[in-house]
Structure formats: structure tokens, C-alpha cells
């Protein structure tokens, strides 16, 4: 099957001019969402529908004074919120869970309009906050419950670990999953008793604003969850300087800047950064299962997933077979601008980003790589569309060989031995995600354990690791600091207070006591402590 210009079926027959915005996204509805964003300076950002390039709404841009006022309001609301019993706070999220699910279709409309992703990815993005809520509704009571332990002197002393909220958490969310990261990173922080000041990307502020509105409908106090907008260099410094903790998802370069400023302010931060994620395919792989999983790992969200696969290592003995299967599947993908479930790929986030992805491909070709399929923009579909692209002969002196391309582009590489494949997979400054495929699961797991990455999926590309909310998810090397999910994903938003109680004055020598006698007793006590089980 080909389109009218004889390109392979990765193209769509739906030109951008025929895309109609969902009736749910009225001008009044969109204006109501952005009305909560402070912008006293009068500057605005044209937030556009990615499929068409048409302006959806003018987004206010927050000044430093606006940001400081947002933190002051959040801090005021946080004092009352932190005083609520935990069960009362969690009751809000039980209701929010239902509201988020009931409004999933409307949320997906917003996500598609502002990001250009296909419908499947938009709907799946709406599932993340309810999943996070479900997990922490079960874990938060245990994690936040005070834990009393024995003190230095048995019986007469105790030490209690009390988890206190940090105060106001600043969250800087990316454009690729604005609703998921904007809300899911905030949920455990809110459960722990904190307030939030969120800075979404200008391009994708609508869906998190809608999510906050739903949280308030569920009973979250107004003022507790603030939103400020603006370009990173304009907003970031003031946000970090006023926050008690910072959660950031984005590029490694920006993460370094945020980490440095947080360090100067002596506040903690969690940074999920870039990746150059590898996939190793073992020689016993089932090609049918692998192709389906690899397609999503490479082209899901049009390649705009921090954990998506950019390098695939295939066994030399099966290279031609597996390459042919994967390329044929990539060429069959339907790329279109539509608010229904027809397209398997949507748009890139912007024309600027599309041009960056294209420049990586052009650089690779100029330096000797080969385009197996794809490689070109598709302005006939929409302003920022790009073909699913498979490359061969990519080397580390090429942009797409060493840097994160963050688009629907993957490089195929043959390998002769598993040791060579592992070495190639680890030959990167990044360490966010990796994937290993093989019919012998034990063998695949043994290979996976050798890869230097914070997340490694066996017989999956990325979803299994990320959706496992009970286990921390983060990067190593240049891919980040800290983690989201798991117990760590909530406890990072708390400070530990050690409440120590001494019931009788037995610490130290008594007034007038012979010190030699005291030291002898103290050393005897230390020997006894070694034999005594202390909680």
C-alpha cells in the first residue's frame, strides 16, 4: 500500500487542513484553564495545536514576582494541609482517582491538541496518575507512620523516626508527558503534606492545568497546587530559589544547571534526565513477539519517551532476518493527524524539534550511515511530522550515535558475541533504560544484569519497568539523580525528624561519681549492646 506520492505506508492520507479540534476544547474552556496562571507582566505565549500549528490559547507568562507570590500562597495553604490527618488527605485522592478516570477522554483531547501524540499514547498517559494514586494509597500510611526504635540505653530511652513534609516542592515537568509528570510527581508529595508549585512546559500547560482542576474538585484545597509558566531560564532560578525541594524531568544539560543551583541553596533534588537506550536481541528470540515490542519501544510517542530505544543490537547470525521483519513492520505503521485511534504514530512536539531530529539523520548520512527506511519530514501530514526512520552504519562520531535524538529514529547494529553486545550497550555516558530479548528468560536476565542502566526490561522495551510503581525508577551515570516510584518516590519529599526521649537520667556520669568507675560501666554496657538485638 502506498500514498498518492508513492511513499511507503508510513504516511497518512489525512492532511492537516482536515483535522478538526474536538468539540470539547472550546475557547471558553481553554481560557478558563489558563486563567489560573499568573502573568502580571502582560506577556503571553501562543500555545498551538500541534497538528495544524493554529493558536489554541494565549498562555500568560509569569514574572519573578508572580512566582514568589505563588510560593507564598502555596506555603500558606501547606500549613493547614500538613495539619490534616493523613487519612483525611488520602480521602481526597480516593475521590481524585475516580475523577481522573471518568475524565480520561477529555484529558486525552487536551494532551493530543497540545503535544500532537496519537490517541493511544494520550489515553495511556491519562492512566499514570491513577496508577500512582492506587499505589501510594496503600503505601503512604505505612511510610508516613512514626516508627519508634530503641534508644542508646535500653528500656529508659527511645528514638522515633517522624516523617515531616519538606514544605513547598517545585516541579519542572517536560512536554513529552505533561499530564503524567505534572500530576504523578506531585501526588506523593501532596500525600506527604507538601504544597506544589509546578512549571509545565509552555507548549503543554493545558493538560496539567486540567488535572489540577480535577484534584480541586476532589477536595484538594485551593492554593495548595500552584502553576507558573514561562521559559526555563526566565522561571527556573526563582522557582528553585523559593522551593524546599525540586523534581525535574528533562535534558541532562538542564539537569546539571538545576542540580548546581539546588546545591547552592542546600535543598534536595531529583533529576530524571536523558538516555541513549540500547536493546540487545539474543539469538533465540521469537521474532513475532520481539517485533511488536520493539516497535513500541522505538516509535511509541513518536520516539519522544525518555526511556525509548535508540540503539538495537542484533545477532549477526540472524541480522538480515530480524532487520527485514522490523523494517517491514516500521513501514506499515500509519502516521496521521487525528483525534481517533487510527494513527499509530502522531506528530513530533514542534517544528523546531522536528528539524533537530532531521539534522541528526542528515548528519549521520553525511558521515556514512545508510537510511534503511524513512528519514524525511512529512509536511503534507502536519507541520512537525517525521517518518519512522531506521538507520544502519551509525557510529559514535555522529550526532545520533552519541546524543539523544528523541524522535522516531533507531540505529541497527550487528554483533558477534553477547560480550560484544553488552560492551556496545554500555558504551555511553547515559544509563536510563535498556532492553534484552530472548526465549531463554534466565539467560536474558543474566545479560540484563550486566547492563549499566537504572531500568532494564527483559522481553519488553520500557513499559514493564516504568509501570512497576512499587519499585524505584531512575537513571545512573549522566541519566539522573534519585528516583520516582517505590518507597523512595514518596520519602524523598519528607524530612526525617529524630524524636529522642530519655525517661531517666542515666546518660553520662552522675554528679560526684568516680569517672574510672563510670568508664568501666560504660564499656561493659557497650559489650552487652553488641549481643542485644536492637530494633
Amino acid at each position: 500500500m502506498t500514498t498518492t506520492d508513492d511513499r511507503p505506508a508510513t504516511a497518512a492520507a489525512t492532511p492537516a487542513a482536515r483535522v478538526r479540534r474536538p468539540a470539547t476544547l472550546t475557547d471558553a474552556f481553554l481560557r478558563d484553564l489558563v486563567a489560573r496562571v499568573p502573568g502580571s507582566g502582560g506577556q503571553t505565549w501562543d500555545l498551538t495545536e500541534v497538528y495544524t500549528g493554529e493558536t489554541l490559547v494565549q498562555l500568560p507568562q509569569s514574572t519573578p514576582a508572580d512566582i514568589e507570590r505563588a510560593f507564598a500562597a502555596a506555603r500558606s495553604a501547606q500549613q493547614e494541609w500538613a495539619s490534616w490527618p493523613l487519612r483525611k488527605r488520602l480521602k481526597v485522592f480516593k475521590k481524585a482517582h475516580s475523577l481522573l478516570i471518568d475524565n480520561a477522554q477529555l484529558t486525552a483531547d487536551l494532551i493530543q491538541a497540545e503535544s500532537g501524540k496519537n490517541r493511544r499514547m494520550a489515553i495511556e498517559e491519562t492512566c499514570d496518575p491513577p496508577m500512582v494514586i492506587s499505589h501510594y494509597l496503600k503505601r503512604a500510611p505505612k511510610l508516613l507512620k512514626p516508627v519508634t526504635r530503641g534508644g542508646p540505653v535500653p528500656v529508659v530511652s527511645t528514638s522515633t523516626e517522624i516523617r515531616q513534609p519538606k514544605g513547598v516542592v517545585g516541579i519542572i515537568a517536560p512536554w513529552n508527558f505533561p499530564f503524567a509528570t505534572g500530576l504523578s510527581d506531585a501526588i506523593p508529595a501532596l500525600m506527604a503534606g507538601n504544597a506544589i508549585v509546578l512549571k509545565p512546559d509552555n507548549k503543554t500547560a493545558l493538560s496539567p492545568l486540567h488535572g489540577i482542576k480535577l484534584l480541586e474538585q476532589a477536595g484538594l484545597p485551593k492554593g495548595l497546587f500552584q502553576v507558573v509558566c514561562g521559559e526555563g531560564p526566565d522561571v527556573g532560578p526563582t522557582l528553585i530559589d523559593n522551593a524546599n525541594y525540586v523534581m525535574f524531568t528533562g535534558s541532562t544539560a538542564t539537569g546539571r544547571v538545576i542540580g548546581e543551583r539546588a546545591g547552592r541553596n542546600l535543598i534536595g533534588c531529583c533529576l530524571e534526565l536523558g538516555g541513549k537506550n540500547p536493546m540487545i536481541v539474543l539469538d533465540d528470540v521469537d521474532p513475532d513477539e520481539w517485533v511488536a515490542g520493539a516497535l513500541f519501544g522505538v516509535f511509541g510517542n513518536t520516539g519522544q519517551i525518555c526511556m525509548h530505544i535508540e540503539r538495537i543490537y542484533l545477532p549477526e547470525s540472524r541480522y538480515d532476518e530480524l532487520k527485514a521483519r522490523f523494517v517491514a513492520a516500521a513501514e506499515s505503521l500509519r502516521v496521521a493527524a487525528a483525534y481517533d485511534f487510527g494513527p499509530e504514530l502522531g506528530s513530533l512536539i514542534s517544528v523546531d524539534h522536528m528539524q533537530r531530529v532531521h539534522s541528526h539523520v542528515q548528519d549521520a548520512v553525511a558521515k556514512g550511515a545508510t537510511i534503511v527506511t524513512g528519514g524525511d519530514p512529512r509536511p503534507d501530514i502536519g507541520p512537525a511530522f517525521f517518518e519512522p526512520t531506521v538507520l544502519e552504519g551509525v557510529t559514535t562520531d555522529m550526532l545520533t550515535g552519541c546524543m539523544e535524538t528523541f524522535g522516531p529514529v533507531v540505529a541497527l547494529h550487528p554483533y558477534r558475541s553477547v560480550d560484544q553486545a553488552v560492551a556496545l550497550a554500555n558504551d555511553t555516558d547515559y544509563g536510563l533504560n535498556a532492553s534484552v530479548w530472548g526465549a531463554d528468560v534466565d539467560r536474558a536476565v543474566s545479560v540484563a544484569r550486566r547492563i549499566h542502566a537504572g531500568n532494564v526490561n527483559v522481553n519488553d522495551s520500557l513499559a514493564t519497568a516504568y509501570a512497576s510503581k512499587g519499585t524505584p525508577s531512575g537513571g545512573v551515570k549522566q541519566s539522573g539523580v534519585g528516583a520516582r516510584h517505590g518507597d523512595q518516590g514518596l520519602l524523598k519529599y519528607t524530612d526525617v525528624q529524630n524524636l529522642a526521649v530519655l525517661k531517666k537520667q542515666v546518660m553520662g556520669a552522675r554528679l560526684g561519681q568516680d569517672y574510672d568507675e563510670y568508664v568501666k560501666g560504660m564499656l561493659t554496657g557497650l559489650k552487652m549492646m553488641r549481643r542485644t538485638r536492637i530494633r
Side-chain angles (χ1 to χ4, degrees):
M1 176 180 171
T2 59
T3 59
T4 54
D5 62 355
D6 294 326
R7 293 181 184 235
T10 52
T14 306
R18 289 170 53 190
V19 178
R20 291 185 179 180
R21 188 198 314 174
T24 55
L25 306 185
T26 65
D27 291 342
F29 172 68
L30 299 178
R31 286 196 300 269
D32 179 67
L33 290 179
V34 302
R36 68 168 60 235
V37 180
S40 62
Q43 294 184 331
T44 60
W45 167 281
D46 287 342
L47 198 159
T48 62
E49 182 184 26
V50 175
Y51 289 152
T52 64
E54 297 175 355
T55 298
L56 286 171
V57 68
Q58 291 189 325
L59 181 70
Q61 300 292 277
S62 305
T63 66
D66 292 329
I67 299 166
E68 290 175 351
R69 284 190 290 269
F71 271 94
R75 209 170 295 281
S76 177
Q78 187 267 338
Q79 293 178 9
E80 179 183 356
W81 173 250
S83 72
W84 287 17
L86 177 59
R87 65 181 181 276
K88 184 178 179 181
R89 295 202 299 266
L90 296 185
K91 188 176 180 180
V92 171
F93 290 97
K94 290 178 182 178
K95 186 173 182 181
H97 186 274
S98 297
L99 284 173
L100 289 167
I101 293 172
D102 292 344
N103 285 270
Q105 297 289 349
L106 172 56
T107 304
D109 290 343
L110 282 167
I111 292 171
Q112 282 197 274
E114 65 187 0
S115 72
K117 65 182 61 180
N118 70 321
R119 189 72 176 179
R120 172 192 167 179
M121 288 306 308
I123 287 290
E124 290 187 5
E125 181 173 351
T126 70
C127 297
D128 195 70
M131 290 175 66
V132 171
I133 289 174
S134 292
H135 173 71
Y136 286 115
L137 282 176
K138 299 179 183 74
R139 289 297 294 164
K142 182 175 182 178
L143 294 176
L144 297 175
K145 182 180 179 180
V147 179
T148 300
R149 300 183 175 88
V153 182
V155 182
V156 298
S157 65
T158 60
S159 176
T160 303
E161 176 184 331
I162 299 175
R163 291 287 173 169
Q164 303 280 14
K166 285 187 172 289
V168 183
V169 174
I171 296 178
I172 303 175
W175 47 257
N176 59 330
F177 286 95
F179 183 77
T181 52
L183 266 65
S184 293
D185 287 334
I187 287 163
L190 289 165
M191 287 182 175
N194 296 283
I196 304 294
V197 176
L198 168 69
K199 191 208 86 67
D201 191 281
N202 273 336
K203 296 184 285 296
T204 53
L206 297 175
S207 60
L209 285 165
H210 174 60
I212 295 166
K213 184 177 179 180
L214 294 177
L215 291 181
E216 291 179 351
Q217 289 179 17
L220 194 76
K222 290 188 177 181
L224 189 70
F225 201 142
Q226 300 281 329
V227 179
V228 296
C229 291
E231 292 295 274
D234 300 328
V235 174
T238 307
L239 184 144
I240 297 168
D241 290 347
N242 283 272
N244 300 109
Y245 189 89
V246 175
M247 176 71 208
F248 170 74
T249 306
S251 72
T252 297
T254 302
R256 287 195 183 97
V257 174
I258 292 171
E260 289 173 0
R261 196 171 191 108
R264 289 200 298 271
N265 291 340
L266 296 179
I267 62 171
C269 63
C270 181
L271 311 171
E272 195 215 63
L273 308 178
K276 193 68 184 172
N277 307 307
M279 174 186 286
I280 295 176
V281 183
L282 301 178
D283 57 10
D284 64 345
V285 72
D286 179 330
D288 292 328
E289 290 194 5
W290 167 69
V291 167
L295 278 182
F296 179 77
V298 171
F299 300 118
N301 205 40
T302 321
Q304 299 167 122
I305 304 177
C306 297
M307 295 171 68
H308 99 113
I309 301 300
E310 296 202 359
R311 301 176 287 147
I312 298 180
Y313 297 97
L314 301 174
E316 196 173 72
S317 61
R318 298 184 65 184
Y319 183 83
D320 291 339
E321 169 207 353
L322 296 174
K323 167 190 166 183
R325 292 286 296 273
F326 181 76
V327 171
E331 291 179 344
S332 71
L333 293 172
R334 182 167 183 265
V335 186
Y339 286 94
D340 57 39
F341 288 101
E344 293 160 298
L345 261 73
S347 176
L348 291 170
I349 185 65
S350 66
V351 173
D352 285 346
H353 186 59
M354 181 273 292
Q355 291 172 343
R356 178 183 179 276
V357 170
H358 193 201
S359 72
H360 276 214
V361 174
Q362 290 176 311
D363 173 80
V365 172
K367 293 176 180 176
T370 301
I371 296 176
V372 180
T373 189
D376 290 317
R378 293 307 306 267
D380 56 311
I381 306 173
F385 279 80
F386 197 84
E387 294 176 326
T389 300
V390 180
L391 302 175
E392 283 184 312
V394 172
T395 55
T396 54
D397 65 326
M398 303 171 185
L399 294 177
T400 197
C402 61
M403 296 175 61
E404 186 177 35
T405 300
F406 217 59
V409 179
V410 68
L412 304 182
H413 304 272
Y415 69 85
R416 293 184 178 179
S417 69
V418 172
D419 287 345
Q420 181 192 23
V422 170
L424 291 169
N426 288 333
D427 185 21
T428 175
D429 293 333
Y430 296 106
L432 183 58
N433 183 50
S435 174
V436 179
W437 287 76
D440 184 336
V441 174
D442 290 341
R443 179 188 180 214
V445 168
S446 69
V447 173
R449 289 179 179 274
R450 299 170 61 190
I451 299 178
H452 304 154
N455 303 275
V456 186
N457 295 264
V458 172
N459 292 337
D460 187 34
S461 293
L462 56 93
T464 300
Y466 194 83
S468 299
K469 303 304 183 186
T471 305
S473 174
V476 299
K477 298 194 283 190
Q478 299 299 307
S479 288
V481 175
R484 55 165 60 95
H485 305 159
D487 293 355
Q488 185 177 338
L490 185 148
L491 293 177
K492 70 186 180 186
Y493 295 122
T494 65
D495 288 323
V496 180
Q497 182 185 68
N498 182 351
L499 182 60
V501 176
L502 184 64
K503 301 174 184 177
K504 184 177 178 59
Q505 296 301 312
V506 295
M507 300 280 287
R510 297 188 304 274
L511 186 64
Q513 181 182 11
D514 181 79
Y515 202 74
D516 286 337
E517 178 186 343
Y518 167 73
V519 169
K520 185 184 296 184
M522 180 182 67
L523 295 176
T524 300
L526 288 173
K527 292 179 180 179
M528 292 176 62
M529 287 174 64
R530 186 179 66 82
R531 302 188 187 100
T532 304
R533 181 175 180 269
I534 301 176
R535 291 193 302 118

